[in-house]
Amino acid sequence: MLYCVFFFFKQKTAYEMLRSLVGSEMCIRDSIRTIFSKEGKEITSIFMAEIGGMNSLSPLYTAALLGLPLIDADTMGRAYPEVQMCSHFIQGVKAVPSTCSDEKGNVDQLMTTETDNVKEVETFLRNFAIAHGLFVGVSFAPITKQQILEKTIHFSLSRAWRLGKSILEARHNMTSPLDAIQARENGKLAFQGKLTYLFRHEQGGFTKGVMHLEGFDQYVGKKVRIDFQNENLILADLLPGDEQNPEGKRGEVYAVVPDLICLVDNENYQPILTEDLRFGLRVSVILIPSAPMMETPQALEVVGPKCFGYPDVVHKRIGGFVAQHLSLIHI
């Protein structure tokens, strides 16, 4: 049996993407059908590249659109910005043939050149995505059942559902959703503050930038910075004098990729994506341990701090990952 993995290259807000759902279905449908044609074999299921943003939702309606089962697994255990950061590619699974289709359903690009360098595939597809509005569906070479069992992170959809359920139950019971998040994911509350500075720009098909937070409650008098590239990368002290300087030096580092640095809105306890950042937001910063598969020496060469421009930062585990052992289909 063959399983097809896909995700979006996108640079749209959640609102813009909701308006483009019909187009996004065409992106994925066309890219997967191209893989069907190229491989000449039946693809029996699909699964997601990452359990993050629209890439965790689009597989649901795409599976329904194509009449295929959806596998409860992903290749990141979170979201990363680049293709080579998928767990199965890190472990040597081939990425080609790969195909890319735009939201209008009338453009298709296929990469068939054999290469062991998945970064080359990322560059090829990213350039295509930039040229076509940064909203395209991408499908990669199908993988086998055994590869899914050995080289992916299991029950990712179930994990996300259970986390959301914990938050809803906490709100219903009038208990702390922040405590519920930490309990569910073995997370740690690292900071609470107001967003006082934001520098954000588009570069190479990514949203990059830095935010500064000024603490309140138990964090009064303290300031931190978070750098991001689509996703949050590093949480560190903000040094005095660098309050309006996106290139300022970092102080003590509290967390760095591959661990998750999550921003939660203090009013409604919803997650805050980097495209939703705005001045004055009051947020809590929760750290969640990454999947062990993404913390091996081999994986850190691809998803660790130095891959994002922090060669002087060493990743230190913030806690144990809460593994999932049961899919929602058994509940």
Side-chain angles (χ1 to χ4, degrees), residues 64-320:
L65 184 72
L66 298 173
L68 294 173
L70 176 67
I71 304 301
D72 191 357
D74 84 306
T75 68
M76 295 182 177
R78 47 162 297 163
Y80 287 111
E82 300 187 43
V83 168
Q84 72 276 10
M85 297 173 178
C86 294
S87 59
H88 62 314
F89 294 152
I90 292 172
Q91 298 176 71
V93 176
K94 70 173 185 174
V96 292
S98 298
T99 183
C100 205
S101 299
D102 80 348
E103 63 182 302
K104 298 178 179 61
N106 58 10
V107 179
D108 189 77
Q109 185 73 23
L110 178 67
M111 181 176 183
T112 58
T113 305
E114 289 294 334
T115 177
D116 294 326
N117 186 350
V118 185
K119 178 65 175 178
E120 293 180 1
V121 180
E122 154 72 28
T123 300
F124 176 87
L125 296 174
R126 182 75 55 178
N127 289 338
F128 176 85
I130 292 171
H132 293 89
L134 273 171
F135 190 62
V136 298
V138 181
S139 298
F140 299 100
I143 67 175
T144 65
K145 173 183 176 180
Q146 195 62 33
Q147 288 170 329
I148 286 182
L149 292 174
E150 297 176 354
K151 303 179 187 296
T152 69
I153 298 159
H154 300 167
F155 307 133
S156 303
L157 273 174
S158 296
R159 179 188 182 196
W161 183 88
R162 292 186 178 109
L163 176 57
K165 183 172 183 286
S166 296
I167 295 171
L168 290 175
E169 288 177 343
R171 294 172 67 174
H172 177 76
N173 297 329
M174 300 184 70
T175 57
S176 170
L178 297 178
D179 290 344
I181 295 170
Q182 294 174 76
R184 168 59 63 181
E185 293 295 331
N186 193 26
K188 173 185 176 183
L189 179 64
F191 195 77
Q192 290 183 300
K194 181 174 72 172
L195 200 154
T196 57
Y197 174 81
L198 175 63
F199 175 75
R200 179 171 50 194
H201 65 289
E202 309 301 324
Q203 180 182 345
F206 302 104
T207 299
K208 296 184 177 183
V210 58
M211 73 186 88
H212 296 170
L213 304 175
E214 184 174 334
F216 54 69
D217 291 345
Q218 61 179 309
Y219 301 96
V220 167
K222 188 173 182 179
K223 299 178 180 180
V224 298
R225 61 177 284 162
I226 298 176
D227 299 7
F228 55 88
Q229 178 183 327
N230 289 13
E231 289 78 42
N232 299 321
L233 302 177
I234 186 168
L235 169 68
D237 275 332
L238 177 64
L239 297 181
D242 283 335
E243 287 82 357
Q244 300 297 319
N245 182 10
E247 303 299 330
K249 295 181 180 180
R250 299 181 306 276
E252 180 182 355
V253 174
Y254 299 106
V256 69
V257 287
D259 290 322
L260 287 81
I261 303 168
C262 306
L263 266 62
V264 179
D265 191 312
N266 266 36
E267 292 186 3
N268 57 26
Y269 303 103
Q270 293 297 305
I272 300 173
L273 307 180
T274 53
E275 60 261 34
D276 297 326
L277 294 170
R278 66 181 187 277
F279 182 83
L281 271 177
R282 297 173 67 86
V283 304
S284 294
V285 183
I286 296 181
L287 309 180
I288 296 178
S290 64
M293 187 175 290
M294 307 308 285
E295 293 184 331
T296 66
Q298 182 184 18
L300 289 175
E301 287 295 315
V302 183
V303 301
K306 75 174 185 179
C307 304
F308 294 95
Y310 308 108
D312 58 324
V313 178
V314 177
H315 172 258
K316 297 178 181 178
R317 297 192 68 186
I318 61 172

